Amino acid sequence: MLGFAGCAEVVTQDVPFIDDADAVEVAFEDVATDVKIVPLISDEPIGACRRMVCYDNEVLMSDNSGEYVYYFVDGKLVSTLHAVGRGPGEYTSVSHFTYSPKKKELWISTVGDPDNILNLTNMTVMKYSVPDMKYKGKMSVEGLISHLSCVDGDKILTVGSPLKISSLTEESVDTCRINLVDSESGETIRRLCDVSYYDYLQSDIMQAPGENMSVNVCVGGYINKIYHIEGNRTQMPFAFTFGVKSIPEKYFDLGQPTAMALTGILQYFMSDEAKDCLEGGFFPIVDGDRYSFWYHKALSSYRDHYFRYENGDIVNYCGFRGKGMNAPVLPKSVAGKGYVAIIEGDPESVFDDTKERSKFSADLENTMKTQYLNNPVLVYYNIK
């Protein structure tokens, strides 16, 4: 195993091969540490979670309708952004969002902004103050955005495509890319790297905020590369491969989001060849010499395998079901150097009727039973 800090190229023999057949099935209680159950307290119903970001005791969450962004402090709903409309400071739908704890600003990319009708190569990012959710203006950001992350509190990492929607042809002249953007002007500070169209499609789970608002990014390929971005530094400290179970490299060579590219990817995932293929690097965490992320079978359960490498020691887990629970406890976001899961629904749907419970699952069930309107519960945890 080699150290990869600062390297641009990696050869296959230098990286670990990851196989889900090697994963050890574990119960959540047996491997989770620093577990904290936090009910989300609100007098109103909270919509199903689409995306979540966590910074210390602050949590922001968008709902599946695309209308709301909720702001919680210590699990209590403090304010809600709901600015649906077509006037100044309004949107028809929230596409992606991020938050700056440093500036106390919420930045969202939107659907339905009239400025985007004639300018389909850029996207509008709207700004709102937190916690009062007052509109503070907007900026035009390069590309059609599929992800936003806050870097250092005053910059934005974007994953975007230069494609004009009106020209789904092979003549598209540029690739999807990761940019570092100025949060005041929207101008690109620098282009960090190009990514495939496949990475662009799932970029929300290939990026993860770290400590001090740094960002960890996984770029897919036969060799998957994890980058750590902090300030003006971009390092690649770790890389890995799924070997023969990798998605074929030709799908990661599709840098342009054309109709042919999308058709090829869809056809591959409908084939028998794809049934055992693995993908991952989801929610990557870089913590000194410890590198961890989640992966899964591309056609199976999402993010249900955990991999960690530290100084030659490898952890490869799957399972994560709490005792008496009907589904595993899997991450929805990164929280510091650990993870946060969101448990939604009523207790009867989450737990079986055997009454077999661990202390964790009993505590979770009791917390869910006290929730007004069956509002969600967060579970913070690390993995030993």
Side-chain angles (χ1 to χ4, degrees), residues 62-128:
S62 60
D63 80 317
N64 278 339
S65 73
E67 293 189 11
Y68 297 87
V69 178
Y70 305 101
Y71 173 62
F72 301 90
V73 177
D74 294 324
K76 296 180 181 179
L77 182 65
V78 174
S79 58
T80 302
L81 173 65
H82 186 227
V84 175
R86 295 189 179 275
E90 296 180 333
Y91 51 80
T92 58
S93 180
V94 174
S95 177
H96 303 274
F97 78 93
T98 190
Y99 170 62
S100 169
K102 180 178 178 180
K103 303 184 75 169
K104 294 294 181 183
E105 285 186 359
L106 171 64
W107 302 323
I108 68 170
S109 60
T110 65
V111 177
D113 188 291
D115 289 352
N116 282 340
I117 294 176
L118 298 178
N119 182 12
L120 294 175
T121 58
N122 285 11
M123 205 163 196
T124 296
V125 172
M126 305 176 78
K127 304 177 183 181
Y128 299 86

Side-chain angles (χ1 to χ4, degrees), residues 216-254:
N216 303 304
V217 177
C218 183
V219 175
Y222 179 77
I223 296 178
N224 304 270
K225 303 173 183 179
I226 292 179
Y227 292 88
H228 179 72
I229 301 163
E230 187 169 357
N232 293 320
R233 295 190 308 153
T234 301
Q235 295 179 304
M236 189 188 69
F238 191 68
F240 63 94
T241 181
F242 296 114
V244 295
K245 293 186 177 180
S246 294
I247 296 171
E249 184 68 23
K250 63 181 179 180
Y251 298 111
F252 291 105
D253 289 336
L254 298 172

